Amino acid sequence: MPNHLWMTEDHRAYAESVARLFVDDFLPNIDRYTAQGQIDRAFWLKAGDVGVLGATIPEEYGGLGLSRHFDAVAYLEQAKAGDSGWGFSVHNIATHYLTGFGTEEQKRRWLPKLASGEMIGAIAMTEPGAGSDLQAIKTTAIRDGNEYLINGSKTFITNGASADLLVLVAKTDPKAAGKGVSLIVIETKNLEGYSVGRKLDKLGMKRNDTAELAFKDVRVPLTNLLGTEEGKGFIQLMKQLPWERLILGYIALGASECALKVTLEYVRERKAFGKRIMDFQNTRFKLAEAATKIELLSAFLDNCLAELDNGDLAPEKAAMAKWWGSEIQCEIVDECLQLHGGYGFMTEYKISELYADARVQKIYGGTNEIMKEVIARALDRDA
Ligand SMILES: Cc1cc2nc3c(=O)[nH]c(=O)nc-3n(C[C@H](O)[C@H](O)[C@H](O)COP(=O)(O)OP(=O)(O)OC[C@H]3O[C@@H](n4cnc5c(N)ncnc54)[C@H](O)[C@@H]3O)c2cc1C
């Protein structure tokens, strides 16, 4: 498995504590979480205790004040434990908006609760009529005295049914296309006019709640505008996207490693024609290809992470990490499922879950077609 050269003793110790969290508190409940389509709040609180929800949040706001490498460690450990349903990466992305653009008052108010798990975070961009084309959103947040009046609806929101805090993408100036977009922080508890619609039934990611949200004459104070200036939403989103896309790359890497591990275990045991499945040349070649792809993906992601740390990760490279990572993940889980034969199609085998969960990686976080547009635009610009 890949050797991340940036990993120190501190990263390894952190990895161990995250792994323990999964083994002790997540895996014993995994079937129940899957059946209920949601993770217990008690687990979020335990994760908060371990620091997983606030690793990169500065210490003065209740976090551990660590670099993004520690988040990457946590996503890899989640995948190693065989889970891709718990939406803490999205929760962490919501916190990044607050650390990146929040006022001092906003950081003090919300970050400690997000770090502890007392509040679960989500980011609400997508609408029934606007996904890839985010500028076409219809949700509005219009100034009315010292409040915003919010109307609209969102869909496909990860952690949507559980969320206590939303980073909402809305138009504060509906006539002004991208420049009219702002991010508004919404505390959902007892919020009049706010409702959670259907918890959506999905092909995969069964443990994660993905929900529709509705806003009908919802009122929040003007101080809930993220930052101090309206119309900055698009710029704020663009600044965070490279890290968000890199996270999806690391999730792809972790899931691919997990697929290879469970498949190796299987093909060493299972026999056909008097041999282990592992002994067929086709199996050996497929697994050798998967292991090579994993190494290449890992090296590319680590390179992107180093550039991100230096502050110079180009959006097109982050887009490459997202589309190529998810593509490789889907190829690997497909080949690995094939090596399980019919058992690979049975839900009691981990590979079937890995297969179902992988597919959405090509869709969310910006579809892979949009990623290729981002890359092509940069090629055209730099030519
Ligand atoms: C499980 C899940 C979790 C999600 N979580 C969240 C979340 O937490 N928050 C959130 O805001 N959203 C979330 N999403 C939404 C996700 O980001 C969108 O589904 C995605 O951006 C695509 O939008 P869309 O579904 O409207 O597809 P569309 O935009 O309608 O796209 C349909 C197809 O057309 C293609 N297409 C569109 N435009 C172009 C173009 N210019 N060039 C070429 N092809 C194009 C797309 O690539 C796609 O293949 C989630 C989605 C899923 C399925």
Side-chain angles (χ1 to χ4, degrees):
M1 291 295 172
N3 180 17
H4 302 279
L5 293 175
W6 48 262
M7 274 210 193
T8 63
E9 276 314 303
D10 287 346
H11 295 112
R12 275 185 267 278
Y14 184 69
E16 264 174 44
S17 66
V18 179
R20 222 174 306 123
L21 171 75
F22 275 100
V23 169
D24 294 347
D25 296 302
F26 193 91
L27 297 181
N29 300 309
I30 193 164
D31 292 340
R32 188 168 52 77
Y33 292 159
T34 309
Q36 69 195 26
Q38 202 162 343
I39 310 298
D40 286 350
R41 190 163 280 267
F43 180 76
W44 285 90
L45 291 167
K46 283 202 174 117
D49 287 345
V50 175
V52 174
L53 302 180
T56 61
I57 295 176
E59 285 175 279
E60 64 262 43
Y61 308 118
L64 299 179
L66 298 169
S67 78
R68 282 177 278 221
H69 294 79
F70 287 83
D71 272 353
V73 166
Y75 303 133
L76 291 171
E77 287 304 317
Q78 176 183 25
K80 241 187 237 170
D83 175 58
S84 47
W86 178 40
F88 81 109
S89 58
V90 173
H91 169 96
N92 283 352
I93 288 168
T95 71
H96 297 156
Y97 281 95
L98 289 163
T99 45
F101 312 112
T103 62
E104 185 59 25
E105 197 269 330
Q106 291 173 335
K107 290 181 194 174
R108 294 211 176 279
R109 182 158 165 208
W110 291 311
L111 284 173
K113 288 182 183 164
L114 288 163
S116 68
E118 200 183 322
M119 277 187 145
I120 297 172
I123 169 127
M125 298 187 248
T126 306
E127 298 186 357
S132 303
D133 183 9
L134 200 56
Q135 289 201 16
I137 58 163
K138 294 227 159 28
T139 299
T140 51
I142 305 298
R143 269 172 185 263
D144 185 27
N146 55 3
E147 291 175 324
Y148 283 112
L149 180 64
I150 301 174
N151 279 290
S153 58
K154 298 285 174 184
T155 192
F156 301 152
I157 305 307
T158 301
N159 301 337
S162 326
D164 307 285
L165 181 141
L166 303 171
V167 176
L168 176 76
V169 182
K171 286 217 166 143
T172 39
D173 181 355
K175 288 188 217 91
K179 288 196 175 122
V181 172
S182 301
L183 304 186
I184 313 281
V185 182
I186 309 282
E187 286 185 72
T188 63
K189 203 169 181 188
N190 302 325
L191 183 63
E192 217 172 298
Y194 171 74
S195 58
V196 175
R198 282 185 305 152
K199 219 160 67 174
L200 300 164
D201 194 12
K202 307 186 292 296
L203 170 71
M205 310 273 280
K206 298 282 190 188
R207 285 185 280 287
N208 188 270
D209 80 83
T210 308
E212 295 173 328
L213 310 176
F215 301 81
K216 191 166 186 317
D217 293 333
V218 167
R219 289 180 175 276
V220 299
L222 292 180
T223 47
N224 282 30
L225 171 76
L226 185 66
T228 52
E229 221 183 312
E230 282 182 7
K232 295 289 174 204
F234 244 91
I235 297 170
Q236 291 166 337
L237 288 165
M238 292 306 136
K239 282 194 176 154
Q240 290 293 332
L241 281 177
W243 175 222
E244 290 172 24
R245 290 179 175 157
L246 198 48
I247 288 172
L248 295 176
Y250 275 104
I251 289 172
L253 175 65
S256 303
E257 287 181 50
C258 185
L260 180 57
K261 178 173 166 282
V262 297
T263 306
L264 269 169
E265 285 164 8
Y266 184 82
V267 297
R268 283 196 188 120
E269 287 294 320
R270 175 85 178 165
K271 290 206 171 88
F273 298 96
K275 289 197 228 180
R276 300 180 310 163
I277 303 293
M278 181 71 200
D279 296 326
F280 296 114
Q281 190 187 49
N282 176 64
T283 308
R284 303 177 78 74
F285 283 9
K286 290 297 176 201
L287 295 179
E289 287 166 18
T292 309
K293 287 173 186 170
I294 286 170
E295 288 291 346
L296 289 172
L297 178 59
S298 176
F300 181 61
L301 295 177
D302 286 355
N303 181 274
C304 289
L305 187 55
E307 290 186 356
L308 187 74
D309 235 22
N310 284 337
D312 56 11
L313 176 63
E316 57 272 23
K317 272 188 97 167
M320 289 174 189
K322 194 270 164 178
W323 93 256
W324 198 73
S326 57
E327 195 71 30
I328 290 301
Q329 174 188 1
C330 286
E331 282 174 25
I332 290 175
V333 294
D334 185 45
E335 297 286 10
C336 285
L337 187 148
Q338 186 71 14
L339 294 174
H340 281 70
Y343 295 93
F345 202 63
M346 300 298 127
T347 52
E348 67 196 274
Y349 283 80
K350 183 52 93 185
I351 194 66
S352 72
E353 182 183 314
L354 289 164
Y355 180 84
D357 288 4
R359 188 59 183 84
V360 75
Q361 284 262 104
K362 295 190 198 182
I363 295 169
Y364 57 22
T367 66
N368 283 6
E369 291 73 31
I370 297 296
M371 296 305 97
K372 290 173 197 174
E373 272 300 321
V374 170
I375 298 161
R377 226 177 290 143
L379 292 173
D380 201 18
R381 183 194 62 210
D382 299 340

